[in-house]
Amino acid sequence: MLSTTRPAHQKSSIRIGNALESSREQLPSHLHELETEAIYTLREVAGQFERPALLFSGGKDSIVLAHLSRKAFAPGPIPYPLLHIDTGHNFQETLDFRDWLAAQTGANLLIRYVQDSIDQERVQEETGPLASRNALQTVTLLDAIKELRLDAAIGGARRDEEKARAKERVFSHRDVFGQWDPKNQRPELWRLFNGRKQPGGHFRVFPLSNWTEADVWEYITAERIAIPSLYFSHEREVFRRDSTWLANSPFITLLPGESLERRIVRFRTVGDATCTGAIESRASSLEEILAEVLAARVTERSGRADDQRSDAAMEDRKRQGYF
Amino acid sequence: MSAAIDSKPILRLSTAGSVDDGKSSLIGRLLYDTKSIFEDQLQAIELASVRRGSDVVELALLTDGLRAEREQQITIDVAYRYFATPKRKFIIADTPGHEQYTRNMVTGTSTSDLSIILIDARKGVLPQSKRHAAISALLGVRKIVVAVNKMDLVDFSEARFREIESGFPMAASRLQLSDVVFIPISALLGDNVAERSANTPWFTGPTLLEFLEEVEIPSVSVELGLRLPVQYVIRPDQDFRGVAGQIEAGSISPGDRVRILPSGRETRVAEVRDPDGPAETAVQGQAVVVTLSDHLDISRGEMLVSPTDLPSDASTFEAVACWMHEKPLRAGARYLAMHANRVVPVEIVRVESRIAIEELSDVASDHLGLNDIGKVVVRASKPLYFDSYKECRATGSLIFIDPGASVTVGAGLILGALEDSSRSPSAELVQVSGGDFDLRREVSDAIVRHLGSHQVSAVFLDETVLEGIVASEAIAPLAAFIWRQGIPVVMSLVNEEPVVRLSRFDGALGGWREVMAVEQGSNAEEAAQRFFNEPWSPAI
Ligand SMILES: Nc1nc2c(ncn2[C@@H]2O[C@H](COP(=O)(O)OP(=O)(O)O)[C@@H](O)[C@H]2O)c(=O)[nH]1
């Protein structure tokens, strides 16, 4: 299987916000606490598991995780690989950023492709104009976990993202089928994370459980963390669908009545290009993004077309082992 | 940077109340009034409220989670909620007030600084309220807010509020709750939650939100020396070897002398790094990487401590156990204990009592069932280094894990070390077997002398002592009989093995404990010494 650390060609895909004088400012105490807690969790993963990996999507949460991983193990390297489940429907900027970050951190980047799962007929591609590969990722991910014999997969999910996640553990146990049983989760006390398991099971670990979207942006701003340029406002060819702006891309089929136009937009999440909505925004610095986030009146996930399909969409995917 | 540098620490709180006291409404209200609810979420619950035939927006629906629960219209586990004001960030551990109550309460409270106890003004203080207060006190929560809810249904009556207030502190003071605050509210209408109520002119205290924003959480009552449990060892190359962990008590700076447990070796700190690089000092609550001036082989689970303020170091200790599994905890049961980054096999020596949580009184019991809390004596297969839970949550807490199923079955709050009978020879039953008669005799004599030097006079038994009267097969039962009267026994038995084997019977554990071989020609005196000094290791 392909593993790549190819250097980024399009440097413009990476943005560190506006350059700021010094880096070693003291973090506000709530961010300091969240950082400490996440570092503790990452070290527990490295200490308790034999074959962990960090699920790296190229989105801001996984970028923050990579940043925290560097801080947790400095001056040593990150002691686990980054694993990207590539839907094949990515924004080019995300892929460039991914490769740049892997090269930067010296981390081992592993990529597994949803396309391979489709070719191997492990999954059936959705058809029609609303087709998305988000749901298919589950199978590719579980296959990768099995193939790489991972015992822990670190993810950037946060409890504030969706109601179904509010009860999620930091160390979340998955059975042999990668399934999450909401009725049979272990009580999680203090910071004593129980990572013991039966053969075949694995853990999803969520070091950012207690972070909110605002915390993530405040942290990115305070730490001047590089993020894909998609998060900053830019002009892009978009069209209107279900009250969000979707980007034009080779993976998109326009429906009758939909038409392309150029708008100044940015993305609040970067996922599958077929269903990740953009918002109209002129926020072009981290400070402006942060101000926008703090004033936002809709959740970041509201831009995800597939989440709106069903109220319990998230929970269904979770049961299937998506997160 | 937009956020204030001097922002307050996160306030972690837990909420509990009996069903229908208005807990979900209160949390929904806090989220709503602090604008932590987004429009799409609000629309979703508006829709849901209409579907349920409700004419007001049920804020309670905001905190409602999984589908099965939604169908049953109940919440069944600890859920975490987040909200923030310009002054502070808050994390709520929301614990439901029905079945599994204790398990969830203990779990939610274990990470909390403050508890909100909800009381329905019409119903007053219920057993559940007392239980919540007691569990909070037990888990070291220092601040409690009693939110007297549904004041609108008692006409915002001051008399009713005062009645509840004066009815409460009795339980509270026995629990040594230094700081209990009462606030009259209406979660449904918002009175005194974020907005001061015009309906309670007689109430001069802060609104709930004001209180939460300003409350200072007292730091640990006891100042301890350094406690740095090792989480991970960072070893990028031959030259760098750093121990990574979180400082649980005290502070650390380059040049400090530290002791490493369990080895007891001492060394100096060469360098301290925090997540931003080399640091002059680091204190409790910080993540650090520490290098030492000697190249010592240190691994996860060891602990760096102050040589002048050591933690307890013992295998047997007393703890309060909160039981979370259907299979009860009983004497003799074996678990894995996860404590300060170590996983150590333990056995329950005995259950001392069950705590009737509402009265905080001890009740005789030989087991702890699901949702029971009680005092137990635990013996670990090797010494743990710990502080009492009161002194330090991180080094005084542990979880019990089922060694087979790997699930967490209980929580433990360490009270303190007990006389460690694994190392002080008291009522011993020692079996010396194998080898030849002379070596057995020699070793047995040495053991009797060793016990004698600890003021333990043991009876010696072998086939020669009762020659002609007792057959050699009767030695073991006879020895066990004498020993059960509380008299230490050393017995010598013939069997086929070429080397002498020493085995110790342990009453508390109810089984033979391991075993040491003595080679022909070795020094019996030394062998006896070693036998008693080496920590035992039961096979788990
Ligand atoms: N009148 C009044 N009703 C309330 C108040 N708080 C909650 N309720 C109602 O009491 C019922 C139970 O509230 P809920 O928040 O679901 O209680 P929980 O079971 O403790 O979460 C609901 O019908 C609420 O509308 C209050 O302050 N005043």
Side-chain angles (χ1 to χ4, degrees):
Chain A
M1 270 278 152
L2 180 72
S3 143
T4 174
T5 48
R6 143 176 84 92
H9 303 298
Q10 286 171 282
K11 275 282 174 333
S12 62
S13 296
I14 294 116
R15 284 284 304 272
I16 315 190
N18 302 347
L20 214 92
E21 344 62 70
S22 90
S23 63
R24 209 177 160 157
E25 277 179 78
Q26 247 215 299
L27 285 174
S29 61
H30 68 286
L31 294 184
H32 178 78
E33 269 183 68
L34 293 172
E35 179 188 72
T36 307
E37 187 178 274
I39 286 175
Y40 178 89
T41 307
L42 290 168
R43 287 173 175 171
E44 278 305 288
V45 174
Q48 289 197 35
F49 297 99
E50 276 164 32
R51 300 174 69 89
L54 194 161
L55 299 181
F56 187 80
S57 68
K60 64 179 191 317
D61 300 313
S62 64
I63 293 167
V64 165
L65 279 181
H67 179 84
L68 289 163
S69 297
R70 283 166 90 173
K71 293 185 93 166
F73 302 103
I78 300 176
Y80 34 77
L82 310 183
L83 171 63
H84 183 218
I85 302 301
D86 188 339
T87 58
H89 286 173
N90 288 295
F91 293 102
Q92 188 56 42
E93 291 94 327
T94 313
L95 299 179
D96 292 341
F97 183 90
R98 174 195 74 190
D99 296 342
W100 173 83
L101 188 98
Q104 260 259 313
T105 55
N108 183 14
L109 174 65
L110 304 169
I111 305 170
R112 294 296 179 268
Y113 298 91
V114 171
Q115 188 62 51
D116 288 345
S117 304
I118 295 169
D119 294 347
Q120 292 157 15
E121 296 181 1
R122 297 276 298 136
V123 293
Q124 178 129 38
E125 173 117 60
E126 291 182 23
T127 53
L130 297 177
S132 146
R133 286 185 169 182
N134 261 2
L136 307 187
Q137 288 180 69
T138 309
V139 173
T140 312
L141 172 58
L142 290 177
D143 284 352
I145 286 172
K146 210 163 165 189
E147 175 214 333
L148 300 165
R149 291 187 289 126
L150 301 181
D151 49 7
I154 306 164
R158 309 187 314 267
R159 289 187 184 128
D160 81 319
E161 279 177 74
E162 216 269 351
K163 275 199 288 192
R165 280 189 180 166
K167 287 159 204 190
E168 183 58 293
R169 305 297 189 266
V170 178
F171 270 40
S172 179
H173 181 254
R174 302 303 152 99
D175 65 16
V176 192
F177 307 104
Q179 300 231 342
W180 178 79
D181 179 359
K183 288 242 157 114
N184 191 23
Q185 288 289 311
R186 303 165 177 192
E188 200 158 73
L189 295 119
W190 299 290
R191 272 182 279 115
L192 291 167
F193 300 131
N194 176 2
R196 298 183 70 89
K197 57 176 179 48
Q198 308 293 84
H202 75 276
F203 277 83
R204 300 294 168 82
V205 179
F206 304 113
L208 306 183
S209 287
N210 285 330
W211 298 47
T212 60
E213 188 189 9
D215 294 329
V216 170
W217 281 112
E218 281 183 45
Y219 187 72
I220 289 172
T221 308
E223 294 276 292
R224 314 310 301 175
I225 299 172
I227 52 173
S229 56
L230 289 167
Y231 284 111
F232 298 91
S233 88
H234 57 282
E235 195 180 311
R236 179 175 290 267
E237 211 170 25
V238 292
F239 63 96
R240 198 79 182 150
R241 179 180 291 172
D242 290 344
S243 73
T244 54
W245 293 105
L246 289 182
N248 187 25
S249 73
F251 325 114
I252 273 290
T253 316
L254 291 186
L255 296 175
E258 291 173 345
S259 62
L260 295 173
E261 51 190 298
R262 298 196 73 80
R263 293 266 171 173
I264 307 288
V265 296
R266 64 177 206 87
F267 292 86
R268 286 176 73 184
T269 64
V270 300
D272 190 316
T274 60
C275 61
T276 302
I279 53 166
E280 286 192 271
S281 166
R282 300 223 163 240
S284 58
S285 69
L286 288 175
E287 282 74 11
E288 284 165 3
I289 293 176
L290 181 56
E292 202 179 84
V293 168
L294 294 175
R297 299 306 311 136
V298 294
T299 55
E300 56 185 336
R301 302 198 72 90
S302 68
R304 289 209 182 165
D306 63 326
D307 271 2
Q308 293 175 343
R309 286 195 207 162
S310 130
D311 188 28
M314 170 89 63
E315 201 178 311
D316 287 339
R317 288 208 308 259
K318 196 158 156 183
R319 281 178 194 273
Q320 289 156 14
Y322 173 69
F323 292 109
Chain B
M1 206 155 28
S2 63
I5 300 284
D6 60 347
S7 68
K8 284 205 161 59
I10 298 170
L11 186 70
R12 295 169 197 253
L13 45 124
S14 67
T15 54
S18 305
V19 180
D20 282 346
D21 283 351
K23 189 169 55 66
S24 310
S25 303
L26 176 63
I27 294 172
R29 169 61 60 186
L30 283 168
L31 298 182
Y32 182 77
D33 285 354
T34 57
K35 302 195 170 34
S36 308
I37 297 171
F38 294 105
E39 269 162 24
D40 48 327
Q41 291 172 323
L42 199 57
Q43 277 163 13
I45 64 158
E46 274 168 8
L47 261 172
S49 301
V50 171
R51 268 205 303 270
R52 284 160 50 119
S54 174
D55 51 352
V56 291
V57 177
E58 284 277 346
L59 289 176
L61 290 176
L62 274 172
T63 62
D64 172 34
L66 304 176
R67 176 191 284 179
E69 299 165 36
R70 231 170 301 157
E71 280 159 7
Q72 297 164 42
Q73 301 196 352
I74 50 164
T75 50
I76 50 173
D77 203 349
V78 183
Y80 295 87
R81 322 283 177 195
Y82 304 84
F83 69 98
T85 69
K87 288 191 176 161
R88 201 169 206 172
K89 174 184 164 82
F90 301 90
I91 302 177
I92 305 181
D94 175 12
T95 61
H98 54 102
E99 46 153 343
Q100 300 289 316
Y101 181 83
T102 305
R103 166 187 151 137
N104 294 336
M105 269 270 344
V106 169
T107 303
T109 308
S110 73
T111 51
S112 295
D113 310 308
L114 179 146
S115 298
I116 297 182
I117 298 178
L118 231 81
I119 288 181
D120 184 330
R122 297 169 303 176
K123 297 185 207 155
V125 179
L126 297 177
Q128 194 85 302
S129 329
K130 287 194 211 160
R131 210 195 302 186
H132 186 183
I135 289 173
S136 300
L138 188 70
L139 282 149
V141 169
R142 302 286 228 328
K143 294 275 176 188
I144 288 189
V145 179
V146 179
V148 181
N149 189 34
K150 306 199 185 181
M151 286 300 292
D152 55 308
L153 297 181
V154 295
D155 297 327
F156 295 97
S157 153
E158 177 176 11
R160 181 62 186 141
F161 176 74
R162 298 291 171 218
E163 192 185 344
I164 290 169
E165 190 177 32
S166 58
F168 199 86
M170 300 184 310
S173 61
R174 199 172 49 188
L175 302 167
Q176 296 172 322
L177 295 171
S178 51
D179 218 334
V180 186
V181 174
F182 293 80
I183 303 178
I185 65 163
S186 169
L188 190 69
L189 307 175
D191 295 75
N192 290 332
V193 179
E195 302 263 328
R196 179 160 297 280
S197 171
N199 297 314
T200 53
W202 44 266
F203 179 69
T204 53
T207 64
L208 177 62
L209 194 58
E210 276 167 359
F211 180 78
L212 297 179
E213 282 184 326
E214 299 301 333
V215 64
E216 302 277 344
I217 298 305
S219 53
V220 278
S221 54
V222 189
E223 289 288 331
L224 292 176
L226 176 71
R227 303 287 185 265
L228 175 55
V230 178
Q231 268 191 292
Y232 188 75
V233 179
I234 294 172
R235 210 172 307 168
D237 52 52
Q238 290 299 312
D239 300 328
F240 189 90
R241 180 191 289 258
V243 297
Q246 183 164 329
I247 302 178
E248 305 294 5
S251 66
I252 194 166
S253 308
D256 285 358
R257 271 202 93 68
V258 290
R259 185 176 295 186
I260 298 149
L261 296 176
S263 70
R265 289 168 304 188
E266 286 190 18
T267 181
R268 278 189 194 283
V269 174
E271 189 192 33
V272 175
R273 301 174 63 102
D274 66 22
D276 292 310
E280 278 166 26
T281 188
V283 298
Q284 185 190 341
Q286 278 188 281
V288 291
V289 175
V290 172
T291 61
L292 302 169
S293 51
D294 299 307
H295 264 251
L296 299 173
D297 193 20
I298 297 177
S299 50
R300 176 177 164 86
E302 297 184 30
M303 197 189 288
L304 271 53
V305 301
S306 154
T308 55
D309 182 5
L310 296 169
S312 301
D313 177 357
S315 309
T316 306
F317 55 90
E318 193 183 27
V320 170
C322 309
W323 207 243
M324 304 185 166
H325 201 261
E326 287 84 9
K327 192 165 170 237
L329 167 148
R330 287 180 191 281
R334 291 178 168 195
Y335 304 102
L336 300 173
M338 187 178 226
H339 170 257
N341 305 337
R342 286 211 298 177
V343 176
V344 175
V346 297
E347 272 193 65
I348 303 302
V349 175
R350 62 180 175 274
V351 176
E352 302 205 302
S353 62
R354 189 169 62 75
I355 300 171
I357 196 68
E358 283 136 35
E359 287 81 34
L360 271 191
S361 57
D362 290 351
V363 181
S365 179
D366 66 347
H367 72 282
L368 297 179
L370 177 64
N371 289 312
D372 280 348
I373 295 178
K375 278 191 205 138
V376 296
V377 174
V378 182
R379 177 179 294 172
S381 63
K382 46 193 161 196
L384 297 183
Y385 8 99
F386 57 82
D387 299 285
S388 70
Y389 182 81
K390 251 199 189 115
E391 292 171 311
C392 181
R393 274 197 201 186
T395 55
S397 57
L398 56 86
I399 53 172
F400 295 102
I401 298 171
D402 182 295
S406 299
V407 297
T408 304
V409 291
L413 290 70
I414 299 176
L415 295 169
L418 282 193
E419 173 84 356
D420 195 339
S421 57
S422 70
R423 284 189 288 177
S424 67
S426 53
E428 297 284 348
L429 173 57
V430 180
Q431 175 186 286
V432 183
S433 59
D436 63 18
F437 178 85
D438 287 341
L439 183 56
R440 275 208 311 278
R441 196 26 121 36
E442 217 182 307
V443 171
S444 300
D445 285 349
I447 287 173
V448 171
R449 275 197 304 280
H450 178 90
L451 292 173
S453 72
H454 285 89
Q455 276 74 51
V456 177
S457 45
V459 170
F460 175 73
L461 275 183
D462 74 357
E463 62 269 38
T464 64
V465 178
L466 300 168
E467 198 176 5
I469 305 169
V470 181
S472 58
E473 310 85 69
I475 297 292
L478 179 60
F481 173 78
I482 296 171
W483 175 77
R484 264 189 242 108
Q485 316 306 309
I487 301 165
V489 182
V490 178
M491 64 168 160
S492 168
L493 286 181
V494 200
N495 64 14
E496 307 301 308
E497 293 183 29
V499 290
V500 163
R501 294 191 335 132
L502 302 179
S503 317
R504 215 150 36 136
F505 191 76
D506 192 290
L509 294 176
W512 287 101
R513 183 209 295 186
E514 237 345 37
V515 177
M516 194 180 91
V518 185
E519 301 286 345
Q520 197 72 35
S522 51
N523 183 322
E525 203 65 51
E526 276 174 17
Q529 291 269 347
R530 237 179 333 125
F531 180 58
F532 284 103
N533 290 341
E534 259 170 27
W536 58 279
S537 49
I540 283 190

